[in-house]
Amino acid sequence: MTDAADLNVHDAVVALQAGDVSALELVDACLSRIESEGGQSINAFIHVAAEQARDAAKDSDKRRVSGQHRSHLDGVPIAIKDNIDVQGQPTTNGQAQAWYPHQDAPVITRLREAGMVILGKLNMHEGALGATTDNPHHGRCEHPFYPGFTPGGSSGGSAAVVAGGLCPAALGTDTMGSVRLPAAYCGIVGLKPTRGFWPIDGVAPLARGLDTVGPMAKTVQDVAMLVDVDVGDHDLTGQRVGVLVYDNIEVEPECERALARALDLLSGKGVQFDTVAFSNFDTGSARRAGFVVCQVDAAQSLEEFRKAQPQAYSPEFQAMLDYGKGVSPERYQTAREIIATAGQEFLNLLSGYDVLLSLTAPQRTFPFSDETPRSQADLTAIANFSGCPAITLPLPVEDGGRPVGLQLMSGLDTDRLLIQVASQIERMLAEN
């Protein structure tokens, strides 16, 4: 068998069930990869809970031997973005402070109840308010394949550990695209479920009503297993599929070409598309409104922490919080209305389709030395504004090309359908 650390979620489940690998062997393989020179160079882990993970793996192995395993995921390792509370492990929210929660966030409780093994906490953009994971306190998280390039953010560490083969799965959070953008930049799959699909209690808040917890893994099938969805063999015949067109977003030519090739491949396999223009959506105005909401809400939620430990915040982050604190109630309400209106209009548009497709980001991963594109979240934020589920999966790219993500979105509470359609599209694209 190949190195156990290279197993994805599905293959790890199969290997555990067949007795080809134990949970302890799987965890030790991941820990060895994390501690290797290559693993260290990515700088994705803020905290590695090695002994706790080994103990949990031993318990999983005992359950499996006795026939008492908790779920198909029992013994599978997962790593957690460092704004989600894990009992006994520090939470920093990407800042120069740490607290030790007395209980797990409810989403962590669900993972433990399924028997998953938590390896540790992951690097992120400070306060989850940014999209490069160039963290001033914990160090820059590197792209696993392109040193000096961003893995995206704010859940950059979560994408980097999966893509880099340090862990088969990770949790991130997504407020305007922070699961899907790093997943797209790193060439993996990331899901932002319907708002409320997983509880956000025990997650350091950023923006009220926009924050969502989402999983990342190597394939759609992996993500489906993490959220307990049977992908089956979904037939796309008769599905109403639209391709979103935005006239006001500058897109890298490589991204345009990857999307065009993918649509040609899918069309050749019988998938029919409508071209859909979301003409009432000004991506720039909506993005700016979303950031205003994030800065105001973050300033309010972190006010007491900031008073107690101002040194825990970088000057850049302090400036964003100060900006948010200075926004007038009237401007904040206007920003809320802008994103609420955009979200409702998008739900109205979605009602005519089973799935809408777009690029996940209008650009690929870029060097840290480059200016951060303002348009990063232009294609992802609308799913947060509307609350609808969205998933990104990697598109086939030219040899040596940096990853490009394909985003699928569907109506509220249609997560199962979305994942099934994404799985079928993933299979179709892989056949060529």
Side-chain angles (χ1 to χ4, degrees):
M1 190 181 71
T2 58
D3 188 329
D6 292 322
L7 296 174
N8 62 23
V9 173
H10 171 267
D11 292 343
V13 167
V14 172
L16 286 166
Q17 290 174 342
D20 293 334
V21 68
S22 69
L24 182 59
E25 289 169 339
L26 186 53
V27 165
D28 278 339
C30 290
L31 291 173
S32 178
R33 186 72 59 83
I34 292 165
E35 294 160 3
S36 70
E37 182 178 350
Q40 292 293 312
S41 67
I42 296 173
N43 191 37
F45 275 89
I46 290 174
H47 174 76
V48 179
E51 291 311 308
Q52 295 98 317
R54 288 191 177 102
D55 288 343
K58 291 174 185 175
D59 289 341
S60 175
D61 286 332
K62 291 176 183 177
R63 289 193 297 271
R64 194 170 292 278
V65 168
S66 65
Q68 300 297 316
H69 58 282
R70 294 174 178 172
S71 77
H72 59 281
L73 295 170
D74 205 333
V76 177
I78 190 168
I80 310 300
K81 185 178 179 179
D82 200 33
N83 60 348
I84 303 173
D85 282 346
V86 176
Q87 185 177 13
Q89 298 185 31
T91 301
T92 74
N93 195 30
Q95 296 149 3
Q97 61 179 347
W99 60 91
Y100 286 80
H102 297 299
Q103 61 184 15
D104 289 329
V107 67
I108 301 301
T109 299
R110 295 186 181 197
L111 299 180
R112 291 198 199 273
E113 289 175 346
M116 297 196 77
V117 177
I118 298 171
L119 290 181
K121 306 297 288 297
L122 298 170
N123 207 347
M124 56 180 283
H125 204 101
E126 184 179 11
L129 193 52
T132 62
T133 314
D134 189 356
N135 190 289
H137 311 294
H138 304 291
R140 174 179 287 171
C141 181
E142 296 277 352
H143 195 289
F145 306 127
Y146 301 96
F149 283 64
T150 175
S154 61
S155 309
S158 303
V161 297
V162 173
L166 308 187
C167 188
L171 282 193
T173 60
D174 191 309
T175 302
M176 287 176 58
S178 287
V179 162
R180 289 159 289 153
L181 290 171
Y185 284 0
C186 290
I188 62 170
V189 177
L191 171 69
K192 185 209 84 69
T194 293
R195 184 184 301 147
F197 183 92
W198 274 345
I200 59 168
D201 299 330
V203 178
L206 178 56
R208 220 170 7 93
L210 302 181
D211 296 342
T212 315
V213 177
M216 299 187 202
K218 292 180 181 177
T219 70
V220 176
Q221 185 178 38
D222 288 350
V223 166
M225 296 183 83
L226 293 170
V227 297
D228 198 22
V229 168
D230 181 8
V231 295
D233 188 15
H234 192 77
D235 186 0
L236 297 186
T237 304
Q239 298 277 208
R240 299 165 300 168
V241 181
V243 179
L244 280 170
V245 176
Y246 297 98
D247 296 329
N248 57 344
I249 300 176
E250 184 175 350
V251 179
E252 277 190 6
E254 294 83 356
C255 296
E256 288 185 325
R257 289 198 295 270
L259 178 61
R261 284 195 303 270
L263 294 178
D264 284 344
L265 287 171
L266 295 172
S267 179
K269 294 180 181 297
V271 181
Q272 297 182 345
F273 309 98
D274 291 336
T275 299
V276 183
F278 189 18
S279 55
N280 293 331
F281 183 49
D282 182 339
T283 57
S285 295
R287 173 189 4 102
R288 289 189 292 271
F291 278 124
V292 167
V293 168
C294 288
Q295 288 169 300
V296 172
D297 286 2
Q300 292 175 350
S301 65
L302 294 173
E303 183 65 16
E304 294 304 314
F305 285 106
R306 192 155 66 125
K307 287 180 180 177
Q309 297 190 61
Q311 73 283 357
Y313 302 82
S314 71
E316 181 184 12
F317 193 56
Q318 289 271 25
M320 288 191 285
L321 296 178
D322 287 339
Y323 180 88
K325 191 174 181 180
V327 170
S328 69
E330 293 78 16
R331 187 180 175 206
Y332 176 72
Q333 183 58 34
T334 297
R336 277 283 178 190
E337 290 172 356
I338 288 172
I339 64 177
T341 298
Q344 186 55 58
E345 289 180 350
F346 190 66
L347 290 177
N348 294 341
L349 184 68
L350 272 171
S351 66
Y353 296 90
D354 295 301
V355 175
L356 290 177
L357 310 181
S358 75
L359 288 166
T360 307
Q363 67 283 124
R364 302 165 298 164
T365 178
F366 52 89
F368 285 108
S369 56
D370 284 3
E371 183 177 355
T372 302
R374 294 182 179 180
S375 62
Q376 278 180 295
D378 278 6
L379 300 173
T380 53
I382 192 62
N384 301 87
F385 299 161
S386 66
C388 76
I391 191 169
T392 181
L393 58 121
L395 287 172
V397 295
E398 296 170 346
D399 290 345
R402 283 169 273 159
V404 177
L406 173 69
Q407 178 176 231
L408 288 73
M409 295 176 281
S410 60
L412 294 175
D413 300 313
T414 61
D415 303 66
R416 181 177 298 274
L417 171 66
L418 178 71
I419 293 167
Q420 290 172 336
V421 171
S423 178
Q424 186 61 23
I425 286 178
E426 181 183 57
R427 292 177 193 173
M428 289 179 173
L429 294 177
E431 290 171 358
N432 291 271

